Amino acid sequence: MTTPQVHISPLRFKRLLLTGAAGGLGQVLRPRLKARCDVLRLSDVADLGSAQPGEELMPVRLEDRAGILKLLAGVDAVVHLGGVSTEQAFDLILQANIIGAYNLYEAARKQGVKRIVFASSNHVTGYYRQDQVIDATMPARPDGHYGISKAYGEDLSRFYFDRYGIETACLRIGSSFPEPKDRRMLATWLSYDDLERLVVACLTTPVLGHTIVYGMSDNATSWWDNTPARHLGFRPLDSSEQFRVATEGRQAPLDYSDPAVTYQGGAFVRTGPFED
Ligand code: 15L
């Protein structure tokens, strides 16, 4: 009898790449990922400051195909936070999130990078209602062009897994801020420590495959069931409950004619400023 070969990811990496490193969550993960690798390569179009020990800065635009190819040379794994992270004009989303995602996966294929943690978003399923509990096996219902671009990234990464064996965790991140800003975020909140736990679980789980997981803390109110991603071993330890009284106290009365109150995507489902 032959022993099946298991690919075990290292708990410590030689070189990790973090894109979108100057953004809100990029700044949170920068020191935390540095603790997990010898060299942390950082990229963004915004200012990255100066390189700290063990960091290397390589600012590249996601739409720059040749630049992205160089960016992925010699990295063990990628945490891809780069791109547009809110609803914006379609042409911006097209460049950074759609062409950019294609460039990243093509570069991974050519450079032999085998694992990517992709920052997707809860807005892939923002048109499910707040009285529904959904899981990642249910069809996408994006709430705008931003959500559609993330759904594209999820499908693209599944294709690169099926065709080339590049493993990806698509993190449908909820609302990752120091604390929930409103009543909706009591359900969607992801603490920074749970964000780190989630990313580390995705980087280090021996067999990742292609997995879609909602990025949320252990909130009492929840619209998302992460059972299909239990193999990751991600156990959130924080909860939004500690903020409930204060958050509900400053919340204006709910207007049930507002679609933002009905749908999981909140304000993202309102007609945006980018429509004719
Ligand atoms: C997102 O995808 C955004 O990047 C973030 O800024 C939040 O607005 C979050 O969703 C949310 O749904 O709260």
Side-chain angles (χ1 to χ4, degrees):
M1 203 176 108
T2 52
T3 315
Q5 264 207 322
V6 179
H7 165 71
I8 308 269
S9 302
L11 295 176
R12 186 175 174 83
F13 296 85
K14 218 164 160 243
R15 180 179 277 104
L16 285 177
L17 167 63
L18 175 63
T19 72
L25 300 187
Q27 291 178 49
V28 169
L29 288 178
R30 183 172 173 170
R32 298 173 190 234
L33 288 180
K34 180 63 210 66
R36 303 261 169 189
C37 58
D38 297 338
V39 179
L40 182 62
R41 182 174 292 172
L42 302 163
S43 188
D44 206 306
V45 287
D47 184 18
L48 288 161
S50 48
Q52 301 303 304
E55 290 182 347
E56 51 187 28
L57 309 187
M58 282 183 71
V60 185
R61 299 196 73 78
L62 288 165
E63 50 270 45
D64 171 1
R65 191 161 300 161
I68 294 293
L69 184 60
K70 286 192 199 130
L71 184 66
L72 269 79
V75 305
D76 299 327
V78 181
V79 178
H80 179 47
L81 306 184
V84 172
S85 63
T86 53
E87 190 66 8
Q88 298 289 336
F90 176 71
D91 288 331
L92 288 178
I93 290 174
L94 173 66
Q95 293 303 321
N97 292 15
I98 295 185
I99 295 174
Y102 170 78
N103 290 344
L104 188 94
Y105 275 87
E106 270 299 280
R109 178 179 73 77
K110 290 180 177 159
Q111 301 287 16
V113 177
K114 286 295 190 193
R115 187 169 291 201
I116 297 177
V117 178
F118 166 61
S120 182
S121 170
N122 74 91
H123 296 286
V124 169
T125 50
Y127 260 124
Y128 283 95
R129 295 170 52 93
Q130 294 189 9
D131 55 9
Q132 287 179 284
V133 175
I134 59 171
D135 70 38
T137 65
M138 292 168 72
R141 292 182 74 171
D143 58 27
H145 290 289
Y146 164 62
I148 293 168
S149 75
K150 292 297 182 182
Y152 169 79
E154 291 186 358
D155 279 354
L156 180 82
S157 60
R158 185 181 285 109
F159 167 72
Y160 275 81
F161 175 63
D162 290 341
R163 180 71 64 90
Y164 305 112
I166 298 172
E167 296 185 300
T168 291
C170 299
L171 313 186
R172 287 186 182 166
I173 298 173
S175 310
S176 199
F177 298 104
E179 56 184 78
K181 296 179 181 172
D182 57 23
R183 191 169 157 277
R184 170 181 170 271
M185 289 190 190
L186 292 171
T188 61
W189 188 62
L190 172 67
S191 74
Y192 290 157
D193 287 349
D194 282 340
L195 169 71
E196 177 186 0
R197 288 180 189 104
L198 177 57
V199 170
V200 169
C202 294
L203 286 172
T204 58
T205 192
V207 181
L208 177 64
H210 184 269
T211 299
I212 300 175
V213 56
Y214 284 90
M216 59 179 173
S217 284
D218 185 19
N219 305 323
T221 308
S222 175
W223 308 319
W224 307 323
D225 175 1
N226 262 339
T227 305
R230 276 183 70 94
H231 61 284
L232 292 177
F234 166 56
R235 289 288 178 274
L237 297 181
D238 296 322
S239 164
S240 64
E241 212 48 25
Q242 57 184 309
F243 303 108
R244 182 173 292 278
V245 173
T247 307
E248 290 183 340
R250 33 170 212 270
Q251 178 85 45
L254 296 180
D255 169 6
Y256 287 94
S257 66
D258 179 356
V261 172
T262 307
Y263 294 103
Q264 297 187 4
F268 280 63
V269 306
R270 289 198 192 109
T271 305
F274 308 107
E275 295 173 3
D276 293 330

